[in-house]
Structures are given as C-alpha cells and as structure tokens.
Amino acid sequence: MKYESQPIESKWQKKWEETKAFHAETGGDKPKYYALIEFPYPSGQGLHIGHPRPYTALDIVARKRRMQGYNVLFPIGWDAFGLPTENYAIKTHTHPAKVTHDNIAHFTEQTKAIGFSFDWDREISTADPEYYKWTQWIFLQMYKNGLAYKQNMTVNWCTSCKIVLANEEVVEGHCERCGGEVIHKEKSQWMLRITKYAQRLLDGLDTVDYIERVKLAERNWIGRSEGAEVDFETTAGDKLRVYTTRPDTLFGATYMVMSPEHPYIKKWEDRLSNMDAIRAYQAEAARKSDFERAELDHDKTGVRLEGVAAFNPVTGREIPIYISDYVLMNYGTGAIMAVPAHDTRDWEFAKKFGLPIIEVVAGGDVQNEAFTDVATGKMVNSGFLDGMEVADAKKAITAYLKEKGIGEPKVNYKLRDWVFARQRYWGEPIPIVICPKCGFVPLSEEDLPLRLPDVESYEPTDNGESPLAKVRDWVEVTCPHCGGPAERETDTMPNWAGSSWYFLRYMDPHNDKELASPEAIKYWGQVDWYNGGMEHATLHMLYSRFWNMFLHDIGVVPNDEPYAKRTSHGMILGENGEKMSKSRGNVIDPMVVIGEYGADTLRLYEMFIGDFEKTAPWSTAAIKGCRRFLDRVWTLYDQVQPGDEYGANVHLMHETIKKVSEDIENMKFNTAIAAMMALVNDFYEKGCNRAEYGTLVKLLNPFAPHITEELWEMLGNKEMLVFEPWPEYDEAKMVRDTVELPVQVNGRLRGTVTLPRDVSREDALAAALADDRISAAIAGKEIVKKIVVPGKIINIVVK
RNA sequence: GCGGGUAUGGCGGAAUUGGCAGACGUGUUGGAUUUAGGUUCCAAUGCCGCAUGGCGUGCAGGUUCAAAUCCUGUUACCCGCACCA
C-alpha cells in the first residue's frame, strides 16, 4: 500500500478536532506546561512559508510534553488590529472588520491544514470588543497609576502613512512599515511611562532563561549608563546642568554644547546678541528628519552663543557655549560638557570650530585623534586627579563634586517613553474623554468596551487627526465627571497594545468579568517556553514585560516576568538565498507544498532545513528527501517482525531515544530528524520488530503527527498516539560489548582495532601494535610515546 | 563607529569537556527494475594521485602526542543599534 498523505491528514485532523484532543483544562493533577508562539497578524496574503517553522517547533515541544504527562496549554489567536488591513480597507472600500474576519477565516483554514496541536477553544482576536475591552481596562489602570499621560512633543511623523511612529518603528529615518520618509513634528500624544520600569526591565533579564542575543538586544535598547550630572555656572548668573559618563575628564572640558531645543535659549534671549543666527539654526534643526541627520554622518554644525559663557567648575576658566544638533534634547539634560581630547564627536566639533583640545588622560595623541580608551592611561593636567587611573579618578571627582554641591552621580537610560497613540481607525479606541472643564476624564470601567464606531471612510486626515475625529456623533459626549459637553479622544492605540498581554487572556479567554480569573492566572503562571522572531526582541518583548510588571504591581498577576524562557528562530529565505518577496519572485506557498507532499513532509522539512536559530534557504530538491523518508517509514511497516522487546537494534534504540529527546529540548530538531533517518536506514539493513518500530513511530509523532497516528492505528492500537507515554531510554543499554578504536601514528590515522569495551591500556596498545598497517608504519622507528585514551583513541608517537 | 554572529564537500548542514572531519539529506556518476520518463533499489562520491600516499574546516602564525574546536593576529560576509555625551 502506498503512502498517501492527504486522506490520512484529513482523517486525523478531523479526529483531533472531534475529540478535542488538545483542549487544555485549567487545573488538575498533572504538572502544567504553557508553550507559546507569537500569534500571527492575519494579513491578506495568507500564511507565509516562514510561519510553520516556529509553530512546528513549539508544536513538537507541546506534543512531547503531553506524552510526558503534562497538562499543556498551546493556544492560538490573531493580532488583528493594524495598518495593512486598514490600508486595504481604504483601497477596496471594505470595512476593516470584514477584511479582518475574512483574513482570519483564511488563516484558520490554512493553519489547521498543518496539524498543529492548538487548543482552538481558546482562540482570541485582539480586534474583538470582548478582548479589547480588557486592553482598554489595562490602559485605564495605567492612567490611574500615573503611567499614561498626554504630552506635547516632537514625534516621528511618517509622511506617507500620515501617522505618528514610535522610535522603535523608525528604521534609518524611514517608516518600518511603508518605507516612507519620517520627519519630526510637534504633536500632543498619549505616552506610557515605560522608562519608570527601565531598571526593572534590565534586572529582570537576570532572572529569566532567554537566549543570550535576545537579552543583549534588550540591554542595548534599555541602554543604561552611569555617570554624573554637573552644574556649570554661567555669565548669566545661573547654572547649566550637563550629564556625562566621563566626569574624570572634567578638567579637559573646553566648551559646552546645548541641544538647539534647549529651554535656556529662550531664557537667555535678551543677553544673546546673535539671536538671528541662533533662530535660523534652530529652524534648520527642527526641519531636519532623522534621515538627513544620519546622512550628514559626522559633519558637525553649530552656532556659538554670543553673550553668555560658562565656567569650568574645576579650572574656573571661562568657556564658550554652542548649540548643535549633535546634542539631543531627550537624553540626559540636553546639554553636555565637551571634552574634545577624549570624545570623538567633541573632537570633530572642536577641530571644525578651532576650539582648544586639552589632554587629561595620557596615552594617545589627542591633536590627531580623540583618545577614548578608559582601560589604560593616567590622568594629567587635572589638578588633584593627576596620576590616577581613570576608574579611580571617576570615583574621586564624583565624590568631590558631591561634597562641593556642584554635581552628583546619575544613571541614564536610552529607553524612551512609549508613544501610545496612532491617528488611525483600526485600533483600540483610547477610553478617555477630554472635557474643557475637567481635563482628561477616564471612562468608568462599566462603560467598557468603548467600541469603534461604524464609519464610511477610514482615510487619514491631512492635518494628522485620526479618522475618528470626523465621526462627530461619536466624538461629542457628555463629560462623565461634570455632565457638560466634552469630546472623546480620537487617537487609537498602537497595534503593540493587544499583543502586550494576550498570553494572559489565553488562560481564561471567555471571562467577561475579568481579563482572566485569578485562579487561571495562578494555575498557568509564567509562559514556560515562548518562541518568536528576533525583530520583536526590543519592541514586543519590552512592551509586554512592562505591562506584565505593571499588572504584577497592581496585584493582577503573581509573576514579575511573564516569560520563563524565550527563544528565537531564523528566517526562511528563497531558493536563491534572498528574502522571499513577490517582487523577487521567489515566494513558496505552504499550501502548494502541502498539496504536493503533505503537511507532515512540510513540517519535517522545515525542521530539517538547518539550525533552527539561523536563516536557511528553501530547497525544492531537499524537501523531496523528507517525503522520501516518510515513504520509507511507511513502507517499512510491511517488514515489521513480531517482538515485544527491542531485539538486534537495542543499543541504537536507546541511543536514538536519548538523542531525539535531548535534541528537542535544545532546539536541535535537524539532528533529531537525522538520528531517526539513520535509525530507519539501520532498520532496512537489519530488520526491525514491533517494539522497535512502535518506538520509532512515537519519536516521530511530534514531527509528523498524522502519518504516525495512522501507523499507530495500523499496529493495532485503539488509543490515539497523542497521549501515549514518551519513550524512555536506559544509558546502560546503550553500552556495546566491543568498541572500535582509531589508531594514530604521529597523529595520523593509520588503522582501527576492534576491542572489548573494558580492555586494559596495555592490551589495547598491544592489539594496536599487532595490527599490520600500524606495524608497517612504525617499522624501523623508535617509539617515543604511547597514548591510550580509553574508548577514544590510541596514538603512537615515533621518531 | 559600537555590539553580536558566521565562515566546514557542488548545495543545506553534522561533529565543541581537544580524540576517526564531512553524520543526515540533497545533488552528481555508474548499475538494476521500467517500452520510456518518473518511482524504487544497489554502488561510488572532500580534493590531488593508477597507487603506497599527500593535502584538506576563510587566511597567517602558535600551543599540543592530537586542533574545525584552545590562543594571537587578520580578512570577508550577515544581523542589531547608531551623534545616547
């Protein structure tokens, strides 16, 4: 009988669905296990060939855990709000809700065809009012706790999407989504105070099991630095405060630079004689996009303030003040002390403007290049710091500044507050009313969800207002506080909102009283294994950890950290090694692959394609090998001999069980499959019995669940394979009686000898010397050294 | 510029407490089956050489009985972040 994937796959998918084989009940005696994949954005293109890679990987883990006796939660849902859907809706004049509904239906059908063991009873969608009710609820709690605030600020404005972007969404001065140019714009925006959690987000990384590159990406993004804030007295009679990580170089500060947006410019207006030039520079800086700033690379520009200067607090010397756009208003204090001898940017600026460069750390040639090495070098030209190492000088100067009241130690973070508003329709409405009398008034919790109104047009407005602003009968409300006329907030939440807490909703998805019951939250606890793309290491991961920490603080969740373990998969590239895209014409459709080879082959190949963590090019040739392997497993059934215990293959059986079991835990899916292939090759050579074949079927089940269920049934089993116990191995049974030892002469392989496992060193050596090839290789030479590594190798050194 | 990663046959990739380099798959070649193609099966397959043998893990050194693996230097490519003081 020939292996035909299609009827087998339909049969078992139907059976799993009918018996609710993968439904997870909250509670019970079994230990719990929560495996999570990043829920997909249901785009119009349908499932991408990249989706099944991480899904299959965690499906393997989930299926193995069930066989190991765990109560497994492996849920699926839809990250349904977002811009592409809205843009498609505009283009086709279809309601985004309809577009989303259709896309989800399409994704569901495709996803189900691959045979993942998701609990479909827990399916969620972030665009469902029953879901976003709780997204809004969390926002209200943040508002009440002072973590949500509205502020007029410079924002990243995508000129193409007509939308404000978070810093995280700007890539090289361009919109992450559409590639349009991003410029700066003043706008009043809702913000979330993630910076308040900067240190906790950093410290928490020490308590979780994330792959190192994810931790690194998060640490770099948070960007903690230690230094000091120092006050410089000015000729205006006030003090200009700077932040520096190198207080040790204070004696070398020969000028100061303020950001063009620094408020002191307004304050000093009357004293400044060159306000025209200053204003012109400010206007120029404001107009510049991030992209233009990056393009200019390191060509420094600036204007000197005429009329106000500062005094170096340790030398007492008068030093000039400049404004320049290389100093950013939103980091530190918006002003710096410039030490050209020991900072590359300051050095470039000083060279261009002819400013003095004073060496304070010996070891470099500061007239030719800034010397920034802090590990070597001693302090010079620095008064009481002279002769000290940099590290000691830092401590000494910081203590001195504190004592004199001119500075103090300070920690800074690159992390910025989260711009939590989009001028778009297809997102969660922000549940706030703006009242002329009472200011911001949050909706009461009973009024949630605040539903999106039905509208005719979703076009963004040219002035940057949300399309919701045009829906007057929705916007105009009475103030919940004073009863007077008021308006709703018309901005919506960014689409990171819904995904920041979805792992909690899965625990109790149909609860209409709470975001999830305390019992469910307590039972499922942390996500045990969360896998997702590297591109989310700094965005989604930080946002959702932040929300979870907040929910922990207000007593909703028991754990500070939501994810116990985080791993990341590599992208699947086109056959030509380039990223898959329509324009490159190298797109592989997973549904076509399933039609040709079956879902089990697709799953197997995506796991076999290479190291799970690395990118891998698709190969139409190589996938055939996986289908061939399944054909061979299928055909082998007819040759199975009777036998309830492992027979001739007993050593290899235990070795393979160990290898597959461990490889799954270490995400080495490719070598797990290779081991099973080698086992099947061995079966074809030596034959196999029922016990051996049954174990192969079990080991292969998480990878290729349909064919293995069918074979399991053919073997006469009544129960589904899904809950069969995972095979166990015994190290003792892996030991063979004899070992084959390689024999080297002078480090070169000259032969092998087969010896009893526990042979003595002397006997092993004697056997090696008795070998014809070995004796020929050492003939007429003096043996200098004999090395015998038991069980590994023999090496004879001759001269 | 800073941070991280990678480099192994024609191709994807194995092998890391230093111990037979190239598992597994693909591709290729030859053979069997077949009217033929496809499928399946058998054999070979790192490179040079008829062969004994020699050479081989980006490159150049080093440590060691023994190095893809450790050390020093260097090159190329990929991915983050990017004027963060």
Side-chain angles (χ1 to χ4, degrees), chain A residues 195-215:
Chain A
T195 50
K196 195 182 163 196
Y197 284 74
Q199 190 61 48
R200 265 169 79 184
L201 288 167
L202 193 61
D203 292 342
L205 291 174
D206 295 330
T207 71
V208 290
D209 176 22
Y210 292 3
I211 52 171
E212 206 49 41
R213 58 198 171 118
V214 170
K215 286 191 183 183

Side-chain angles (χ1 to χ4, degrees), chain A residues 39 151 159 173 320 487 537 553 572 612 626 636 655 658 676:
Chain A
F39 61 168
Q151 194 180 54
T159 51
E487 296 200 345
D553 288 348
I572 292 182
F612 180 67
C626 288
L636 190 62
E655 281 167 0
K658 180 174 197 273
M676 289 188 279

Side-chain angles (χ1 to χ4, degrees), chain A residues 119 161 168 201 219 230 255 300 302 316 354 389 407 418-419 444 516 549 571 607 690 722 733 757:
Chain A
D119 178 0
C161 299
E168 290 85 339
L201 288 167
R219 285 196 185 108
V230 185
Y255 66 102
K300 299 284 182 292
E389 304 282 342
W418 176 5
V419 180
S444 82
M549 283 175 182
M571 213 191 322
M607 292 298 100
R690 281 181 67 89
V722 170
K733 300 236 170 76
R757 175 170 50 83

Side-chain angles (χ1 to χ4, degrees), chain A residues 649-758:
Chain A
N649 302 299
V650 60
H651 304 301
L652 189 60
M653 289 310 301
H654 287 278
E655 281 167 0
T656 307
I657 296 167
K658 180 174 197 273
K659 176 83 178 146
V660 173
S661 303
E662 291 180 353
D663 279 357
I664 290 174
E665 301 307 318
N666 297 322
M667 299 187 292
K668 301 282 179 199
F669 305 106
N670 53 340
T671 49
I673 293 167
M676 289 188 279
M677 287 172 167
L679 182 67
V680 169
N681 290 345
D682 211 60
F683 284 171
Y684 268 97
E685 239 173 77
K686 296 187 192 139
C688 75
N689 67 23
R690 281 181 67 89
E692 293 164 349
Y693 190 71
T695 293
L696 166 68
V697 166
K698 282 187 193 176
L699 290 177
L700 185 57
N701 174 257
F703 296 82
H706 312 87
I707 186 177
T708 46
E709 284 284 7
E710 185 70 18
L711 289 168
W712 186 247
E713 191 180 69
M714 284 157 62
L715 283 167
N717 296 289
K718 297 277 177 281
E719 298 295 317
M720 277 192 286
L721 195 40
V722 170
F723 295 108
E724 279 296 313
W726 184 251
E728 289 183 15
Y729 62 89
D730 182 349
E731 301 261 2
K733 300 236 170 76
M734 290 162 49
V735 179
R736 287 172 165 82
D737 295 339
T738 57
V739 288
E740 195 180 71
L741 274 189
V743 182
Q744 297 179 332
V745 176
N746 285 350
R748 287 163 207 267
L749 186 71
R750 290 296 181 227
T752 58
V753 287
T754 303
L755 297 165
R757 175 170 50 83
D758 49 3

Side-chain angles (χ1 to χ4, degrees), chain A residues 582-600:
Chain A
K582 264 188 204 157
S583 58
R584 291 189 183 90
N586 59 354
V587 173
I588 303 284
D589 181 347
M591 293 305 120
V592 172
V593 175
I594 290 176
E596 193 167 349
Y597 301 104
D600 281 334

Side-chain angles (χ1 to χ4, degrees), chain A residues 739 741 743 752-771 774 786-791 793-794 796:
Chain A
V739 288
L741 274 189
V743 182
T752 58
V753 287
T754 303
L755 297 165
R757 175 170 50 83
D758 49 3
V759 67
S760 69
R761 300 171 70 95
E762 290 72 25
D763 290 351
L765 202 58
L769 292 169
D771 185 270
I774 306 304
K786 304 168 208 165
I787 291 135
V788 180
V789 183
I793 207 163
I794 298 168
I796 299 160

Side-chain angles (χ1 to χ4, degrees), chain A residues 599-664:
Chain A
D600 281 334
T601 300
L602 173 71
R603 294 170 58 110
L604 200 65
Y605 177 58
E606 293 219 4
M607 292 298 100
F608 188 62
I609 194 167
D611 185 334
F612 180 67
E613 300 201 64
K614 298 200 185 106
T615 55
W618 185 266
S619 164
T620 312
I623 192 172
K624 287 186 185 137
C626 288
R627 169 65 193 223
R628 214 168 277 161
F629 169 64
L630 292 182
D631 280 329
R632 277 162 69 75
V633 171
W634 180 266
T635 309
L636 190 62
Y637 173 82
D638 292 329
Q639 303 173 27
V640 173
Q641 303 295 311
D644 296 330
E645 279 174 35
Y646 300 150
N649 302 299
V650 60
H651 304 301
L652 189 60
M653 289 310 301
H654 287 278
E655 281 167 0
T656 307
I657 296 167
K658 180 174 197 273
K659 176 83 178 146
V660 173
S661 303
E662 291 180 353
D663 279 357
I664 290 174

